Amino acid sequence: MALTSETSPAGGPAEKEALVRQGRDQPAGLSGAGLAVILTGFALSIADFFIVNVALATMKHDLHASDAALELVVSGYGITYALGLVMGGRLGDAFGRRRLFRDGLIAFTITSALCGFAPTVTFLIAARLLQGAAAAMLVPQVLGTIQAATDGAARARAISLYGATAGIAAVAGQIIGGFLLMLNIGDSGWRAVFMINVPIGLVALLLVRRMPATKADRKPGLDLLGTALFGVTMVCVLMVIVEGRSLGWPVWLWSLLVVAAVAAVTLVRVERGLEARGGSPLLPPSILARHSMRTGLMAVVPFSIGFGSFLFVYTLVAQDKLGLGALASAGVLSPFASSFFVVSLFTPKITARIGRRIVSVGAVVQGTGLLLLALLIAVEWPHLPLLLVLAVLAFTGIGQALIGPTLLRMVLADVPPASAGTGSGVLVTSQQTATALGVTVGGTLYLTLASSLGNASGAVLVLVLLALFSAVIFALSLRLPEPR
């Protein structure tokens, strides 16, 4: 809490009032039940990125949708999600993170039901845009609450579970989606992949009071110009990333990158000027300039690009080239998710022993796993030995688990609790934008190489490139601060 220059005699009214106010503003610790609630909301938002993929074929048939419309069903969610994350974090700082989480969860549950009842593909696209905006309201409050309501070992455990949840939810989304389509309860078809969110969301809402109420000590003002410039930058970049491949990379689309660059440069100048005048910028330069935030994000970006690219290219290879269905391909990937989850639980203890070197070790393990998978494809294609593939995927998941949760701790290490929502919004925006970039670049590169060199060679070259990303993470890990 900020201290004023006014003084009063010891035990005077002003001092007593300050002590009472300090006790009232002190957030309660994050209980196990509270952590479970916020991680449930986070898991729903991540799973909905991936659960839709397995239902696209039935959506196309039932709604008579074009391929371009189906692309918007997938990408529309991602665009509004990534676009709103920083603002969602900022609103949580201002009005309370529990309040924003609750409102976001209500909106996410309602929009999931709207998706499930969608009569046309146009209605479904609109509902998905709203669903992504709802996710952007609740997700920054997860890391923001962890940052504001925990410290030390408790924060390390919570962030490790956050990272584990991200990995599990990504794969579980596809597995659950495959099961729901196979069961086809009440002849619901693809609609079940959205309706499953409704009972889960309602249960989480009943328990949301277990989440501690935290917010910034001083309510920040609204930065309308910064918000508008940030929105223009993000929309232009995301349009190129998400829609480029489906639109065939027209010239006008590339011009959006010029618009994004101009808006970004203007945004930096506006934010610096606003902070210098004592205002409340959307993206405070003082936070972005912190060593942990700056260096950590440099490692988060290649990590997230590699993660998105790996999952997408794996799906293409498993389903299109090896003939595995949605459920089978997700099942093969389950050792990757399982090892990621289990090792994530132990990263706080490992970090306590070896510090930031855990990221270096993880980068080596991850890179080795990717190269081993490339070697298997090069030697055994197309009859890959299943047990070896499962073992290599599990090994790669271990490397990812050693990197991911610890990086999150490093990025937020120097962010003050009062700005936890803003810092979390910046972090998650960087993650999601980089993941979308990985999906687009990795998928396009694989399809291009496969058409000219063959499927096996295309997959091998992409995996080798992703191993190089691991080398970049290793180099950056040597400059990272110690996790806190």
Side-chain angles (χ1 to χ4, degrees), residues 119-412:
T120 66
V121 70
T122 302
F123 188 99
L124 179 58
I125 291 170
R128 284 286 281 175
L129 290 169
L130 294 174
Q131 190 186 34
M137 289 176 63
L138 71 89
V139 168
Q141 319 317 326
V142 179
L143 272 177
T145 298
I146 291 173
Q147 184 75 0
T150 64
D151 56 18
R155 180 181 295 174
R157 286 192 298 270
I159 292 182
S160 295
L161 284 170
Y162 175 93
T165 300
I168 287 292
V171 179
Q174 298 190 59
I175 295 176
I176 293 171
F179 268 117
L180 291 173
L181 289 175
M182 180 182 68
L183 294 175
N184 195 24
I185 300 172
D187 199 29
S188 57
W190 59 268
R191 299 179 187 276
V193 305
F194 296 112
M195 297 305 296
I196 189 66
N197 294 335
V198 175
I200 298 174
L202 291 175
V203 172
L205 280 170
L206 292 175
L207 300 173
V208 78
R209 295 291 298 179
R210 301 294 186 92
M211 176 182 176
T214 65
K215 65 178 180 179
D217 291 336
R218 183 174 65 90
K219 183 178 177 180
L222 292 179
D223 177 12
L224 298 180
L225 179 56
T227 300
L229 289 169
F230 179 75
V232 170
T233 303
M234 288 297 297
V235 167
C236 290
V237 171
L238 289 169
M239 280 294 293
V240 175
I241 292 174
V242 175
E243 296 296 333
R245 186 162 54 88
S246 63
L247 295 176
W249 306 105
V251 174
W252 67 264
L253 190 66
W254 289 109
S255 67
L256 293 180
L257 292 180
V258 178
V259 177
V262 173
V265 171
T266 306
L267 175 63
V268 171
R269 293 179 177 176
V270 168
E271 300 297 84
R272 285 176 176 171
L274 182 59
E275 189 170 56
R277 295 191 300 271
S280 301
L282 177 71
L283 299 171
S286 58
I287 291 180
L288 297 177
R290 292 175 180 269
H291 177 63
S292 66
M293 177 68 72
R294 185 178 63 253
T295 309
L297 287 180
M298 289 174 62
V300 166
V301 168
F303 176 77
S304 300
I305 289 175
F307 182 78
S309 182
F310 173 76
L311 284 183
F312 188 70
V313 172
Y314 165 81
T315 301
L316 290 177
V317 173
Q319 295 187 21
D320 296 343
K321 309 307 176 186
L322 298 180
L324 298 178
L327 184 58
S329 64
V332 172
L333 198 57
S334 58
F336 172 88
S338 299
S339 63
F340 187 102
F341 178 78
V342 172
V343 174
S344 293
L345 301 180
F346 291 95
T347 53
K349 293 183 178 180
I350 300 173
T351 305
R353 288 181 173 272
I354 65 175
R356 67 183 181 184
R357 286 178 294 172
I358 186 175
V359 177
S360 306
V361 174
V364 172
V365 173
Q366 177 183 266
T368 303
L370 293 169
L371 291 176
L372 288 174
L373 188 57
L375 180 62
L376 275 177
I377 293 175
V379 174
E380 302 290 345
W381 183 273
H383 304 293
L384 302 180
L386 180 59
L387 290 179
L388 281 178
V389 171
L390 295 176
V392 170
L393 287 174
F395 186 72
T396 306
I398 291 172
Q400 293 246 331
L402 294 174
I403 299 171
T406 309
L407 269 184
L408 300 181
R409 287 175 59 191
M410 290 174 171
V411 171
L412 297 175

Side-chain angles (χ1 to χ4, degrees), residues 8-24:
S8 63
E15 182 179 348
K16 290 180 180 178
E17 181 183 353
L19 290 173
V20 171
R21 188 166 64 249
Q22 183 178 24
R24 184 177 67 242

